[in-house]
Structure formats: C-alpha cells, structure tokens
Amino acid sequence: MRAVQIARPGGPAVLGLIKVPEPTPQSGQVVVQTTMIGVNFTDLFARMLPAERSAIPGVEAVGTIAMAGPDTGELKPGQRVIAAPLYRLGAYAEQVLVDATHVVPVPDGVSDEAAAALTLNYGTAYAALHHCARVRPGETILIHAAAGGVGTAAAQLAGLLPDTYLIGTSSATKHDYLRAQGVHQVIDYRTEDWVAEVRASHPDGVDVVLDSVGEDSFARSVGILGYGGRVVGYGLSGTMRDDHSAPDIESAVSVPGSLVPLLENSTGFIGCHLGAPAHIFRRWIRHLADLCERGMIRPHIDRVFPLEEAADAHRYLHERRNMGKVLLRP
C-alpha cells in the first residue's frame, strides 16, 4: 500500500511517498481503508522533532474497516468509521492499523470529509470547553487562532450555548470567515494589541480563553481573565519557526510570572490533551458525530490534498493559510 513517511526530522520535503506492506490486525485491533485523512499541527511537530526512527505520521482518518481482529466488539468489515491512532500514528496511508478502543462508527448523515474533522479539531475543542473550562451560558470566551481547525470547532460549539460572547484572533483576511462562524468580536493579532483590545471591550476581563499559541501568550491570556476565569492551553503553535526547524519546546513550557494572578484572582490555567481514557474519548466523538448529523455543527473543509502532496499540505498549514480543516485524500 502507499503511505507517507517521515524520512528524517526536517521541513516538508522530508515527507516521501513509499510502498509498505498492508497491516495485519491483532486482537483488539482493526485495519481501516482510508478515504480521508486529517492534517494537524501535531503532524508538523512529529515531522520536525527528533525521532529514533522513520515513521508514518497522522492521528486521524475516516474510512471503512477492511479487517477486524478478535475482540473488537461490534466492529466489522465494511463498516464506515472514524479511526484515531492517537499514539500509534500511521494515518497517512491507504490503510491504518488502529486499536478498536479508538474507532467510532460514522452516522449515515455525516460525510467522510466532515467526519475527518471531528477527532482532533472538534474533539479538542469539546474537551477544552466542556471538560476543562466547564463553560457556562452567558460567558465571554476568547479563542486564539480562531480561524484554524480547532478554533472553528470551538466557535461553533461555544455558539450552541445561550448568550455566549465570542472573541476571536486571526489575521485580517480571515475576519469575514470568523463572523460567519458566529464570532462577535474579531482582532487582528498581527497589527493590533489583542490584550488592549480585549481590555477595552471587557474591562472586567473574560471568563474563558482557549490558547493554542503557547510561550508568553499563556501568561498574557491569564492577565485578561475576570474573576473565576480559566485559560485552557491545548497547543504550542507559537513555537513554529518559518524555516521549519525543530520548535523550541523548552521556552514554550515556561510561563514565568503567571502564578501570582492565578492565586490573587481565583483563576486557573488548565492543560488540555485529547488523550482521555478510551471510554470518555468515544463518548465525546459519538456526541460530536450526532451533533454533525443533526446539522448543529458544520465542519468547514478548507482544502483537500492528494496523499502524494502531503508536503504541500504541511506547508499550507504551517503558513497558517487555512480556514478550517485541511485533509489528505488517499
């Protein structure tokens, strides 16, 4: 079968199309014939950071079950599913081996493209809003990088709550897109001081900040919280370098000076990762698939690249040209 391999750490050019044997499922595993594959910032990190061996990246795909090993419950060949090899990786391929615990059937009313956006984008946004921030109706929410895949998902999911007020940061070219997603106030982070803009419109601070940037953004986000506010950090996109070299993770995990405001104002910083226990993960994704089938959320597919153009897809995402989800088609 065809697959995309990371030959060595580096820029998009290190991604190469190769031929590898088709996987064989063991007990508790299935093999999924992919139709759509998600492209995410976590894939860019996997490509740039040092690794012991070459690897096939990718943590989410949609397709039909080609083979099922023993002890896979009600999963069976021919079933259309979401496959999330969150730790095994390997989704950038015509077939992916995945633990049955991280396979969720796709409702008939949800397209493959939409389903491929649900795991990382909507799953992360749902976990950040409801599991971590415990967002409530009537709250004000600031979403950094609001036009990206997770940002779009967060805006749609937060908009389902009554009377929420959404603030989003993005480049100016994406502001109309954000307004169409239900964002009330948009800020151009490249030309405006987003802290000053938020303070001007909300002098008492905001209730929730979803921050995927990292570095000093975490500390600045803490500084604009109102009483009882929460920052949920779920990414380190600010560590990305224009030359595609390895990101500086060490500086990103340090947030100097942020603890005092937390203590003084009863606020909190919460880390968010999609690697929840399998039964919680499946519950979230099933719920999101149901919302999608009912038309309550609408994944926006920005662009679909052929599998052999995975390097171009990485450049597109790295340069923050996307609005919504980027996919690969095998």
Side-chain angles (χ1 to χ4, degrees):
M1 68 172 185
R2 299 185 309 154
V4 172
Q5 183 185 59
I6 303 171
R8 62 188 182 280
V14 304
L15 296 175
L17 195 65
I18 60 170
K19 289 276 192 160
V20 295
E22 294 180 352
T24 301
Q26 304 300 312
S27 179
Q29 297 178 329
V30 300
V31 173
V32 175
Q33 185 78 34
T34 60
T35 57
M36 286 290 163
I37 301 160
V39 181
N40 300 283
F41 266 97
T42 186
D43 306 334
L44 276 61
F45 278 103
R47 191 200 72 231
M48 292 185 289
L49 292 172
E52 293 181 1
R53 62 182 68 86
S54 59
I56 298 171
V59 295
E60 63 177 347
V62 170
T64 56
I65 295 177
M67 292 181 285
D71 301 320
T72 53
E74 297 179 356
L75 298 174
K76 56 185 181 297
Q79 196 171 10
R80 197 165 64 103
V81 295
I82 294 169
L86 298 180
Y87 302 105
R88 184 181 299 279
L89 307 185
Y92 280 30
E94 292 177 322
Q95 290 189 350
V96 58
L97 180 68
V98 62
D99 293 334
T101 55
H102 284 71
V103 175
V104 177
V106 178
D108 291 340
V110 177
S111 69
D112 287 1
E113 291 87 349
L118 293 180
T119 302
L120 260 289
N121 288 174
Y122 284 82
T124 300
Y126 186 86
L129 287 167
H130 295 287
H131 188 76
C132 296
R134 309 284 182 177
V135 66
R136 297 182 293 270
E139 291 196 309
T140 297
I141 304 167
L142 169 63
I143 305 169
H144 287 292
V150 177
T152 296
Q156 292 184 11
L157 288 168
L160 297 178
L161 292 169
D163 302 320
T164 51
Y165 185 88
L166 304 182
I167 308 170
T169 68
S170 75
S171 58
T173 58
K174 301 177 181 180
H175 285 188
D176 287 344
Y177 169 79
L178 287 184
R179 294 185 183 97
Q181 299 302 318
V183 177
H184 302 94
Q185 179 182 350
V186 292
I187 300 172
D188 183 354
Y189 72 94
R190 293 181 176 177
T191 62
E192 298 176 284
D193 182 341
W194 59 266
V195 172
E197 293 294 322
V198 172
R199 277 294 181 197
S201 61
H202 293 78
D204 294 330
V206 301
D207 299 297
V208 174
V209 181
L210 302 188
D211 194 327
S212 62
V213 181
E215 296 190 17
D216 65 337
S217 178
F218 287 163
R220 299 179 76 199
S221 291
V222 167
I224 60 167
L225 290 176
Y227 185 81
R230 297 85 74 199
V231 174
V232 180
Y234 61 88
L236 300 170
S237 65
T239 64
M240 293 286 183
R241 293 167 167 163
D242 291 343
D243 63 358
H244 299 279
S245 60
D248 183 7
I249 301 296
E250 290 300 321
S251 66
V253 298
S254 175
V255 190
S258 65
L259 292 182
V260 172
L262 297 181
L263 295 171
E264 290 178 344
N265 210 29
S266 297
T267 51
F269 179 91
I270 307 164
C272 180
H273 188 270
L274 195 57
H279 69 284
I280 296 176
F281 170 83
R282 289 197 303 274
R283 185 174 74 237
W284 290 345
I285 302 304
R286 286 193 182 110
H287 176 60
L288 291 166
D290 177 64
L291 291 178
C292 190
E293 186 176 37
R294 289 190 281 149
M296 298 180 72
I297 57 175
R298 306 164 308 283
H300 178 80
I301 309 305
D302 180 285
R303 189 167 171 183
V304 180
F305 290 81
L307 182 63
E308 57 269 23
E309 295 178 12
D312 291 334
H314 274 219
R315 292 187 188 95
Y316 190 79
L317 192 64
H318 193 122
E319 293 166 5
R320 293 166 174 79
R321 294 164 61 189
N322 65 299
M323 291 182 284
K325 188 66 176 177
V326 177
L327 299 173
L328 298 175
R329 189 192 306 274

